[in-house]
Every structure is written in C-alpha cells, then in structure tokens.
Amino acid sequence: MNATPDFYVVREGDSLSKIAAMFHVTLAQVRKWNPQIKNPNLIHPGQRVRVTEPTAVPVSDDEPFPGKDFFQSSVNSPIIEVMGWRLIEEGCSAYPDEPDLQWSEADRRSYAKWQQKLGFIGSDANGIPGRNSWEKLHVPALHMSE
C-alpha cells in the first residue's frame, strides 16, 4: 500500500473532523491546509481535501481529460458528478439541484459558464469540455477515494 495520499475526495456523510480523524491529523491542520474551504461545515461529495502538509513541490492528481466524446447524455460516470462539484466551487453552476452521474444540459450550461470565466467565446464556450479548460478545472482523480 502507498503512503498517505495528499488529498482525499469527500464522500456522502463526511465532515472535516471525520476526515481529520481518518488520516490521524487535527481538524486545525486540515483547515490550515485547505484555506479554500471558507465554511468548514459545508463540504460536498467529490470535493478534494488536502490531508497532508503541502510540500514545496506541487503534486497533481487530477482526473485526466476523458476526451470530447465522453460528454454525451448516454454517459453515466462519477467523473461527471465530481466535475459538477468543481464547477460549483468555481461559481459556475447552472444546476437546479446537485450534480449527478449523468451528463446533462445543466452540466453543459455550467461548463459553458466555466469556459466563459476562462475567457473563451463563441464555439470555444459551447459547454463541451476541451483539454485546455478541463486541465484548468482540476477535477480530482477518482481513484484517490477508493
């Protein structure tokens, strides 16, 4: 088994204190290592939480770009849900409720907001993820929570 991962992907029912206990660190450490979490009582499934002290060398464990053909209404994948939570974190939500596993019009509209936030226009902001915008979204790799 590998050493402790740098990040943990939040699951339903998790809290920051539960995550801290799981990795044998304090809640104060988890809060210090995750300044992007403004409200410690508000975390979402799919959100990435740092569980080790940051190192000088950044470690990337983002979900690789699955390709444009992946984003179709017939696709059901946890990657879609995790992407949706990242879009919400970035303030780019067009979701009526919470994101789910199936690619939908709400996902496309939310992703278009992300593309526009990055400065894309026209057909480059159509809501279908491309490699460039995907890599900037930093969707957490799913294998980390397994």
Side-chain angles (χ1 to χ4, degrees):
M1 186 168 185
N2 291 349
T4 301
D6 291 325
F7 293 93
Y8 172 79
V9 178
V10 175
R11 294 181 179 186
E12 191 68 40
D14 281 342
S15 67
L16 284 185
S17 57
K18 180 179 171 185
I19 293 168
M22 204 180 326
F23 290 93
H24 308 287
V25 295
T26 67
L27 177 58
Q29 287 173 308
V30 172
R31 292 198 58 198
K32 178 182 175 186
W33 300 333
N34 293 278
Q36 78 282 6
I37 298 175
K38 303 300 182 206
N39 181 347
N41 298 314
L42 185 60
I43 59 173
H44 304 285
Q47 185 174 358
R48 187 169 55 172
V49 175
R50 177 174 280 286
V51 294
T52 59
E53 188 168 9
T55 61
V57 180
V59 177
S60 176
D61 203 358
D62 295 340
E63 188 66 37
F65 179 59
K68 285 191 177 195
D69 293 340
F70 178 80
F71 302 98
Q72 300 178 26
S73 62
S74 61
V75 172
N76 278 288
S77 169
I79 293 171
I80 302 294
E81 183 179 27
V82 174
M83 175 206 71
W85 287 112
R86 279 293 299 127
L87 291 168
I88 289 169
E89 288 173 0
E90 290 292 337
C92 297
S93 176
Y95 296 103
D97 294 306
E98 295 182 346
D100 59 26
L101 302 175
Q102 184 170 15
W103 178 257
S104 67
E105 180 60 18
D107 292 303
R108 190 198 64 74
R109 287 194 320 270
S110 297
Y111 205 91
K113 288 183 173 201
W114 170 244
Q115 290 167 321
Q116 292 163 7
K117 183 176 180 176
L118 293 175
F120 294 109
I121 57 172
S123 63
D124 290 333
N126 64 2
I128 304 301
R131 182 174 304 279
N132 187 354
S133 60
W134 181 266
E135 289 175 355
K136 290 180 180 179
L137 187 57
H138 299 288
V139 175
L142 294 175
H143 66 81
M144 297 170 64
S145 64
E146 295 304 318

